[in-house]
Amino acid sequence: MNHPKIIQGGMGIGVSNWKLARAVSISGGLGVVSSTALDTLMVRRLFHKDEDTKRALLKFPLKNISEKILDNYYGEKNNNKGYPQLPFFSVDIRDELIALTIAANFVEVYLAKEGHSNPVGINLLEKVQMPTLYSLYGAMLAGVDYVIMGAGIPREIPGILDKLSAGHDAELNLYVSGAQSGESYKMHFSPKKFMGKQLNLKRPYFFPIVSSNTLATTLMKKSNGKIDGLIIENYSAGGHNAPPRVKGVFHDNGSPVYGDKDIVNLDKIKELDIPFFLAGSFVTPEIISKTIDEAGASGIQVGTIFALTSESGFEESIKLEIVNKIKNNTINIFTDPMASPTGFPFKVASIKGTLSEQDIYDNRPRVCNLRYLAELYKDENGNIGYRCPAEPINEYLKKGGKIEETVGRKCLCNALLANIGYGNTYKNGYKEPYLITLGDSVSLISHFLPDEGLPSAKNVTIQLKSYIEN
Ligand SMILES: Cc1cc2nc3c(=O)[nH]c(=O)nc-3n(C[C@H](O)[C@H](O)[C@H](O)COP(=O)(O)O)c2cc1C
């Protein structure tokens, strides 16, 4: 199989939107949309009467669902109360949320694939488990060609893709803190029941993202179906990073120290005899040609520079500010070991007025109104609860959370939606602040930047392709 050699990384929430993915795919790369929080994002786009979303929704195969979503969410419905509050994901998920999730993933992939026949992928986070079955199915209804998944060990996904494509029921085991061994909690989805008939769909290729040889080997051995390729991501990449193998060692500025043990042995990856792609600062002709020629990689996955293109979801003003900082050599990226509620290190760009600044963080009232990153736990009565270390501290402690887990935690759900222009503004006028993630490659990408304005996804893709082909 000839997979595209340039994969544009799936960047959530909504940085890798359909516009970016479509432009990259048309230009010969693999455009990838982010699936994270698409239900909320679709509803917020509809709130602003986004016509592309409406048009795609009207192509959704179940008219009763698309019409109901438009009736409920198109335009402002609630007398200036702001964005509608959706139900939370839970083990007993509401039918309405299942339908919204399937439709939202359908819409994003449909739009990314519109008007061309090149492949398009979707990126999911393994740690965000409850939406997964529905997100995959919605994307598959729109004919998604690749599923890419990071931030965990997605052993069950290949088998789920097989089942969903055959129209069979599928289940996903959930991690529940405090559950006894032998107890299992699952999400369940019946495509036949949802669609009202048995439907066969294309089985997309599955590429997990891994950051160690052990994980790559485990996934190859223990997955319940075919893995079609691997993305090997190093710790310079934007977004979340795998924690260092040696824990508890920090630089003076508080970022974790990575060492030799964190470098993936590519010779061992080659022995797995599977296409692999390298991610994390693969942006210069020298680095790229070395990668392809010496390491034997099939290609690269690139995020940071695509996040700064005119098509990406980031607010235009913040992109222009970052590009200026890059040109002036004043951009600073910090690997924050505490910011993300997932517990994984998270790359944060130090930018004035954003949550990277202590006073902006201190002044943000803690609220948890999206809950995508909540951990599931079993309480003393045996019920399942949901807690996030970035939620109000007293709530978290009441749920058995530990105080030290709350220190420095940032509400990524709200901040990442703010970054793309869909942040909450509350009744008292408080606006959710930004928190920008980018990779260490910010110091290597000035050759992509035009004298004025932002680079285009097309030009970045073509430039990257030329580095691989030469
Ligand atoms: C703004 C941003 C958001 C990201 N979000 C995700 C994500 O949601 N899921 C994921 O698997 N990777 C995410 N990544 C990582 C990229 O998909 C990609 O692997 C990485 O950016 C490659 O390294 P580079 O930043 O040096 O190009 C993100 C990266 C950036 C810059």
Side-chain angles (χ1 to χ4, degrees):
M1 169 62 204
N2 280 333
H3 298 293
K5 291 186 162 57
I6 311 285
I7 302 176
Q8 160 253 311
M11 300 175 279
I13 300 172
V15 178
S16 296
N17 57 16
W18 64 266
K19 287 183 183 163
L20 173 59
R22 183 169 181 273
V24 171
S25 284
I26 287 176
S27 311
L30 177 64
V32 177
V33 294
S34 164
S35 172
T36 309
L38 274 181
D39 52 311
T40 295
L41 183 52
M42 178 180 74
V43 163
R44 292 186 180 188
R45 285 176 178 157
L46 289 173
F47 180 94
H48 295 292
K49 297 194 174 173
D50 182 277
E51 292 306 317
D52 293 309
T53 303
K54 181 176 176 185
R55 181 164 49 80
L57 205 44
L58 290 171
K59 299 285 180 189
F60 189 66
L62 300 176
K63 293 284 159 274
N64 56 332
I65 286 186
S66 46
E67 280 162 13
K68 199 161 166 208
I69 293 175
L70 288 170
D71 273 356
N72 287 344
Y73 299 111
Y74 184 74
E76 204 166 329
K77 303 280 185 195
N78 59 359
N79 299 326
N80 295 325
K81 286 208 196 106
Y83 292 131
Q85 174 71 50
L86 297 184
F88 291 129
F89 281 93
S90 62
V91 281
D92 44 8
I93 182 170
R94 301 237 300 256
D95 286 349
E96 184 202 351
L97 188 55
I98 294 178
L100 272 176
T101 307
I102 294 175
N105 282 268
F106 170 88
V107 162
E108 201 71 1
V109 174
Y110 175 89
L111 289 169
K113 286 182 77 78
E114 197 175 33
H116 66 96
S117 54
N118 291 345
V120 161
I122 193 161
N123 176 290
L124 289 87
L125 295 177
E126 204 267 347
K127 283 224 168 192
V128 181
Q129 289 194 293
M130 290 181 287
T132 298
L133 294 173
Y134 320 109
S135 304
L136 289 173
Y137 196 68
M140 287 168 72
L141 277 176
V144 76
D145 303 278
Y146 289 79
V147 169
I148 296 177
M149 204 169 200
I153 312 174
R155 277 196 309 119
E156 295 180 75
I157 303 301
I160 288 173
L161 294 175
D162 294 338
K163 285 189 176 154
L164 294 180
S165 72
H168 296 152
D169 288 16
E171 287 184 333
L172 176 69
N173 281 294
L174 300 170
Y175 308 112
V176 177
S177 167
Q180 306 298 314
S181 70
E183 274 180 328
S184 75
Y185 297 89
K186 298 173 196 290
M187 299 305 281
H188 179 93
F189 176 60
S190 169
K192 196 168 160 190
K193 214 161 120 200
F194 182 78
M195 298 302 292
K197 60 179 177 195
Q198 179 104 10
L199 204 64
N200 288 314
L201 299 171
K202 181 174 68 191
R203 197 273 197 191
Y205 294 114
F206 180 59
F207 285 10
I209 304 174
V210 296
S211 299
S212 75
N213 291 98
T214 318
L215 191 49
T217 313
T218 309
L219 272 172
M220 293 301 294
K221 280 198 189 138
K222 302 230 168 109
S223 292
N224 61 357
K226 186 164 187 245
I227 290 181
D228 301 282
L230 291 171
I231 296 176
I232 317 288
E233 192 182 69
N234 67 43
Y235 54 84
S236 77
H240 286 99
N241 300 137
R245 271 345 77 94
V246 180
K247 308 253 178 319
V249 190
F250 298 94
H251 293 287
D252 289 346
N253 69 357
S255 67
V257 173
Y258 287 89
D260 290 350
K261 286 193 177 149
D262 299 298
I263 295 169
V264 175
N265 180 334
L266 295 177
D267 289 334
K268 287 209 175 126
I269 297 288
K270 247 193 259 176
E271 286 167 17
L272 297 172
D273 202 19
I274 180 170
F276 65 94
F277 297 75
L278 301 184
S281 302
F282 289 92
V283 281
T284 66
E286 301 75 32
I287 299 175
I288 291 175
S289 59
K290 201 166 158 209
T291 312
I292 304 289
D293 299 343
E294 289 176 25
S298 299
I300 54 178
Q301 172 168 285
V302 179
T304 296
I305 181 59
F306 281 116
L308 299 174
T309 58
S310 48
E311 290 88 345
S312 94
F314 273 151
E315 285 269 67
E316 170 122 348
S317 56
I318 199 87
K319 285 190 278 199
L320 288 168
E321 187 181 336
I322 294 165
V323 162
N324 252 335
K325 277 176 164 290
I326 293 175
K327 286 181 177 166
N328 299 330
N329 223 350
T330 54
I331 184 105
N332 175 40
I333 307 292
F334 172 58
T335 307
D336 191 328
M338 289 308 286
S340 173
T342 63
F344 283 8
F346 187 68
K347 287 264 186 319
V348 170
S350 307
I351 297 176
K352 234 179 156 154
T354 74
L355 283 171
S356 65
E357 295 199 306
Q358 191 64 34
D359 62 326
I360 304 279
Y361 173 67
D362 291 340
N363 288 329
R364 177 183 178 270
R366 283 186 174 229
V367 279
C368 184
N369 48 14
L370 292 157
R371 213 173 82 177
Y372 289 101
L373 293 175
E375 170 190 51
L376 279 68
Y377 70 99
K378 201 173 144 187
D379 70 16
E380 64 270 24
N381 304 317
N383 299 319
I384 297 293
Y386 307 86
R387 65 185 174 209
C388 175
E391 73 180 313
I393 292 175
N394 55 343
E395 303 276 324
Y396 186 67
L397 298 182
K398 264 195 256 163
K399 297 175 186 173
K402 298 204 171 72
I403 186 84
E404 57 271 24
E405 279 298 317
T406 65
V407 180
R409 296 287 186 214
K410 296 178 175 166
C411 175
L412 294 194
C413 296
N414 273 299
L416 300 192
L417 279 160
N419 293 343
I420 58 166
Y422 292 98
N424 260 322
T425 302
Y426 299 99
K427 265 194 244 138
N428 61 3
Y430 182 79
K431 275 179 83 156
E432 286 287 358
Y434 300 159
L435 180 67
I436 299 291
T437 179
L438 291 168
D440 293 336
S441 65
V442 287
S443 60
L444 300 169
I445 55 178
S446 44
H447 55 294
F448 291 100
L449 305 178
D451 292 341
E452 296 271 320
L454 301 169
S456 73
K458 178 180 170 188
N459 284 349
V460 170
T461 310
I462 290 174
Q463 216 166 321
L464 287 169
K465 265 172 52 179
S466 76
Y467 301 159
I468 287 204
E469 279 152 17
N470 289 336

